[in-house]
Amino acid sequence: MFELLKTDPHSKARLGRLTTSRGVIDTPVFMPVGTQGSVKALDPRELLEMGTQIILGNTYHLSLRPGRDVIRAAGGLHAFINWPHPILTDSGGFQVFSLARIRKIQAHGVEFRSHLDGSLLFLGPKEAMAIQRELRSDIAMVFDDCPPHTSTSRELRAAVERTKRWASECRDQPRATGQLVFGIVQGGPDTALREECAKALKSMGFDGYAIGGVSVGEPEPEIFKAVELTEPFLPAHLPRYAMGLGTPAQLVELVARGLDMFDCVLPTRVARNGTAFTRKGAISIKAGAFKADFRPIEEECACYACRPFSRAYLRHLLNVNEILGLRMVSVHNSQMYLKLMADIRTRIGAGTFGEFRREFIANYLPTRRVLSARANAER
Ligand SMILES: [Zn+2]
């Protein structure tokens, strides 16, 4: 199911191949996020053209709207959204703990109120796996307890206990044909809890392992710490997935730390306020400096936004709220992430990932610095 093709001699970076029932995925891989059954502003043809191998769907959101009955009647999520390629579904654990108003955490799941209409709902390991079975995703995630980064050690301990128990319940549920199931390691920044959770899940024998409880609002050093604490306890012969991460520079660093799979809403989310990712950092297309700048967003980029359109035209579209503007920045940003991963795979294969990593990090201006510099310039 997962073939480890090569490991970088100077870091933990891995080149691999994950076989799912709907296709083979080359890793390291970036997975565009289609929470509501659509990667925001992009259609399936564009996703394929830019080299997308697998997208994400979300159990919590899709079960609220349009509802599992509609998707089941459509013949599953692939048929419903016209994406016949691999899909990974998140279990809904993260959304229940971050979006919904929780009424009660029970032994076998969570009673909560929908963030849409306040209706009382229940989601636990059994329900999350049943929905993912009906969605017929190629990779299903276990239902976990994802606590905020401000949790006390007592709360972290309780979350790990539940995550272990729920993972075991998820493993015993029936699956869709060919569906892989990944475990999720929690434990926050606690070394002992991360180790304990990883070892317990490893003994349950999942098809892959995710590092959860990262990207929950903590500063970057804590993200890397949680990944570094967890990675040594994950089986080397199975895929490892860093959930909800990150910026382009973070992805390069996470690959170097032995992670294979990534998903992040950033490329499409920041596109909506006119921010474009480049190999040198993020830029604001709306900035006055681009008013008559007829270069593309990025000279070397082969995406559909960069071939025919200039920064000046895209800036104009964004300023007058034309949908094409945010669509084109979404196309560029998503392709930038996918091409970055393709380059990483090539460089691991060629044995030159270390050089690539050094150059990339040296050239990439961290996003926050770019954004604050821009805010100051415009004040
Ligand atoms: Zn581009």
Side-chain angles (χ1 to χ4, degrees):
M1 183 265 305
F2 184 70
E3 243 183 299
L4 192 58
L5 301 173
K6 191 164 183 174
T7 304
D8 179 49
H10 307 295
S11 72
K12 291 185 170 178
R14 298 136 53 94
L15 187 69
R17 192 181 286 143
L18 173 63
T19 301
T20 71
S21 48
R22 285 182 187 79
V24 174
I25 297 158
D26 294 316
T27 65
V29 62
F30 177 72
M31 307 182 282
V33 181
T35 303
Q36 306 273 11
S38 150
V39 177
K40 287 196 192 305
L42 304 179
D43 68 46
R45 189 180 53 186
E46 289 167 326
L47 288 169
L48 270 188
E49 277 174 8
M50 58 178 77
T52 304
Q53 305 183 73
I54 173 172
I55 63 169
L56 245 71
N58 189 271
T59 296
Y60 172 88
H61 289 287
L62 293 169
S63 66
L64 294 183
R65 288 183 308 194
R68 52 202 284 193
D69 295 347
V70 172
I71 296 177
R72 188 176 48 225
L77 187 56
H78 300 81
F80 184 57
I81 69 172
N82 186 35
W83 177 258
H85 311 286
I87 298 178
L88 179 149
T89 43
D90 194 1
S91 64
F94 180 79
Q95 285 72 27
V96 165
F97 284 94
S98 61
L99 273 183
R101 275 183 295 130
I102 293 178
R103 264 182 52 101
K104 203 174 178 191
I105 300 179
Q106 299 177 358
H108 300 286
V110 185
E111 194 180 77
F112 63 95
R113 289 201 179 276
S114 155
H115 75 288
L116 297 173
D117 60 6
S119 58
L120 194 60
L121 300 162
F122 186 86
L123 196 61
K126 205 175 161 188
E127 294 76 17
M129 294 310 287
I131 299 169
Q132 292 182 91
R133 190 162 66 240
E134 287 171 355
L135 296 176
R136 299 193 197 169
S137 56
D138 303 274
I139 303 172
M141 301 302 298
V142 298
F143 186 76
D144 61 330
D145 182 338
C146 183
H149 85 288
T150 49
S151 304
T152 63
S153 52
R154 200 194 162 109
E155 287 164 339
L156 280 179
R157 151 69 51 196
V160 164
E161 287 304 325
R162 274 185 216 107
T163 294
K164 282 163 34 183
R165 195 170 64 243
W166 290 347
S168 167
E169 287 178 41
C170 285
R171 191 201 46 188
D172 296 338
Q173 300 302 313
R175 305 173 177 191
T177 310
Q179 192 173 47
L180 304 175
V181 178
F182 282 16
I184 304 176
V185 178
Q186 292 289 347
D190 187 308
T191 312
L193 282 179
R194 284 277 172 189
E195 177 178 350
E196 179 192 320
C197 194
K199 284 181 171 170
L201 265 67
K202 191 175 159 182
S203 72
M204 295 175 200
F206 287 103
D207 301 309
Y209 291 87
I211 301 179
V214 285
S215 184
V216 287
E218 74 279 38
E220 185 177 271
E222 280 183 42
I223 294 176
F224 290 140
K225 188 186 163 201
V227 169
E228 286 162 8
L229 289 177
T230 313
E231 182 275 332
F233 302 105
L234 303 178
H237 65 286
L238 292 175
R240 294 113 166 242
Y241 165 24
M243 301 184 82
L245 292 172
T247 64
Q250 285 171 348
L251 294 194
V252 173
E253 287 303 315
L254 290 164
V255 166
R257 284 163 174 78
L259 276 292
D260 310 305
M261 301 168 71
F262 309 92
D263 77 285
C264 190
V265 294
L266 272 181
T268 45
R269 180 173 289 166
V270 303
R272 298 198 286 282
N273 61 38
T275 302
F277 286 110
T278 75
R279 299 262 167 149
K280 291 183 179 145
I283 58 170
S284 172
I285 297 298
K286 285 186 178 177
F290 300 138
K291 191 174 179 181
D293 187 335
F294 302 106
R295 292 173 301 168
I297 298 174
E298 197 161 28
E299 303 276 6
E300 308 78 25
C301 182
C303 86
Y304 180 65
C306 287
R307 275 179 278 139
F309 301 125
S310 66
R311 294 173 177 184
Y313 178 57
L314 295 173
R315 174 178 181 273
H316 162 70
L317 292 178
L318 290 161
N319 280 339
V320 295
N321 291 321
E322 279 293 335
I323 294 167
L324 185 61
L326 82 85
R327 258 183 40 68
M328 287 303 109
V329 182
S330 298
V331 164
H332 169 81
N333 283 350
S334 299
Q335 173 136 341
M336 191 273 171
Y337 268 63
L338 292 159
K339 180 70 168 59
L340 172 62
M341 300 314 278
D343 287 352
I344 287 173
R345 292 193 296 270
T346 304
R347 300 301 289 263
I348 299 172
T352 56
F353 174 71
E355 198 183 314
F356 176 84
R357 177 190 183 188
R358 265 192 312 278
E359 276 171 23
F360 189 91
I361 300 300
N363 288 329
Y364 193 90
L365 202 56
T367 304
R368 200 175 302 130
R369 251 175 75 198
V370 173
L371 292 177
S372 64
R374 194 187 74 235
N376 290 334
E378 284 171 3
R379 200 168 286 153

